[in-house]
Amino acid sequence: MLRFGRYVRAANVEDALEVLRFRKGAQILGGGMWMRLSDRTIPCVIDLSDCGLDKIEETEDEYRIGAYVTLRDLECAGVLNDACDGVLAAAVRDIVGVQFRRSATVGGSVFGRFGFSDVICALLALDTEVELVEAGRVPLATFIDMPYELDVLTHIIVKKHDYQASYQCLRKAATDFATVNACAARWDGAWHLAVGARPAKARLLSGAEAGVVSAEPSCDELAHAIEAVRGLTYSSNLWGSERYRRHLAGVLAARALVEAARYTSPEGLEAARAACAREEAIR
């Protein structure tokens, strides 16, 4: 059973940071959906419900997603999802169920930096930053490798671009954790490819690292991307073996690239799909 020694409802994020730093063992209470599964006593939890972090705000250059925005709110944010080519809704729609997604928060998913996170994988391929009270704005790709510091995550920021993107994943059963997930996004003339549920933290490859530079990737470029993705580190657990994950990651990455590319030539699209199909047979 999960127990709290003390409950603090912070009036603002600065107060929350002060409590976090001066009360030993204090933790921020997000949606609490994963926290509640533990059998322990947390000395102090800090609730940010009164800090105005439950909104998605649009500015001229970016979308600011408050840390207390729920996964369901993110899923249903039509304007934001249209701007991001639908990958955020695609990433969260199979997470457990609607009741769970109405409580789980985007901030909790991102700050936890869970290896199985669908949310992080999709956000990582976009031009995304996180905003913290002390550290300020940090690129998401940098943040996920930072040590866990005593700081408060306030916003996830997605910068505006003309995104072409696709999110792909495979689950053993509906609503289960992803065995592997992948997201490809093209913006500012370059490809960005994220692979997660390895089951380690998601990793981001630039188009140059993956060998993909064309707006409509050729079969050779897709082969290079598959090779680059399979060169990442994988391991085994209940949801899949190391060998299966490595193979599957290459397939899903190629599918994401092909779906996001929007080929203008039917012949080019057919050739790209055939290249993906050839990779589906386990070697």
Side-chain angles (χ1 to χ4, degrees), residues 10-274:
N12 53 63
V13 293
E14 290 76 18
D15 287 350
L17 180 59
E18 184 175 358
V19 174
L20 184 65
R21 289 188 169 175
F22 291 100
R23 284 197 172 273
K24 186 176 180 180
Q27 294 186 24
I28 300 294
L29 179 65
M33 302 309 291
W34 303 119
M35 182 185 287
R36 69 184 176 83
L37 299 178
S38 59
D39 183 11
R40 56 177 170 150
T41 297
I42 299 175
C44 177
V45 292
I46 306 163
D47 189 346
L48 305 180
S49 295
D50 293 338
C51 297
L53 302 178
D54 59 347
K55 302 177 181 63
I56 299 175
E57 301 168 307
E58 181 180 1
T59 70
E60 184 177 350
D61 302 316
E62 60 195 26
Y63 293 93
R64 294 175 57 83
I65 305 167
Y68 263 41
V69 169
T70 69
L71 298 186
R72 180 60 174 170
D73 290 337
L74 185 68
E75 181 183 7
C76 298
V79 173
L80 172 60
N81 276 291
D82 288 345
C84 297
D85 208 10
V87 293
L88 298 179
V92 304
R93 67 189 175 201
D94 291 322
I95 297 177
V96 186
V98 172
Q99 288 181 316
F100 182 96
R101 298 197 298 276
R102 287 191 186 279
S103 297
T105 62
V106 180
S109 298
V110 171
F111 193 83
R113 288 164 270 191
F114 304 116
F116 58 77
S117 176
D118 299 280
V119 179
I120 288 179
C121 184
L123 287 170
L124 196 56
L126 307 177
D127 190 1
T128 306
E129 295 181 340
V130 298
E131 187 171 86
L132 301 111
V133 175
E134 184 69 20
R137 289 174 64 144
V138 180
L140 178 60
T142 301
F143 174 73
I144 61 175
D145 285 330
M146 288 170 55
Y148 287 87
E149 302 284 358
L150 293 179
D151 208 340
V152 178
L153 174 66
T154 62
H155 293 87
I156 297 89
I157 298 157
V158 179
K159 297 180 184 179
K160 289 184 176 180
H161 296 281
D162 183 15
Y163 289 109
Q164 294 175 226
S166 171
Y167 177 83
Q168 302 285 326
C169 76
L170 184 121
R171 305 174 193 275
K172 294 178 71 174
T175 75
D176 199 357
F177 291 123
T179 299
V180 171
N181 50 32
C183 186
R186 182 173 172 82
W187 45 272
D188 278 5
W191 284 103
H192 304 80
L193 183 60
V195 181
R198 301 176 302 116
K201 296 175 185 176
R203 282 291 172 264
L204 177 65
L205 298 174
S206 68
E209 290 174 309
V212 184
V213 295
S214 305
E216 299 180 14
S218 67
C219 293
D220 285 343
E221 287 179 307
L222 291 173
H224 285 306
I226 290 168
E227 183 178 358
V229 166
R230 288 178 177 164
L232 296 173
T233 301
Y234 299 87
S235 59
S236 303
N237 66 4
L238 178 65
W239 288 273
S241 69
E242 179 274 339
R243 178 173 176 267
Y244 181 54
R245 275 195 166 96
R246 188 181 302 278
H247 172 82
L248 183 60
V251 173
L252 295 183
R255 286 181 185 173
L257 286 165
V258 170
E259 183 172 297
R262 301 174 188 164
Y263 288 80
T264 56
S265 162
E267 293 79 11
L269 176 59
E270 183 177 352
R273 285 177 171 170

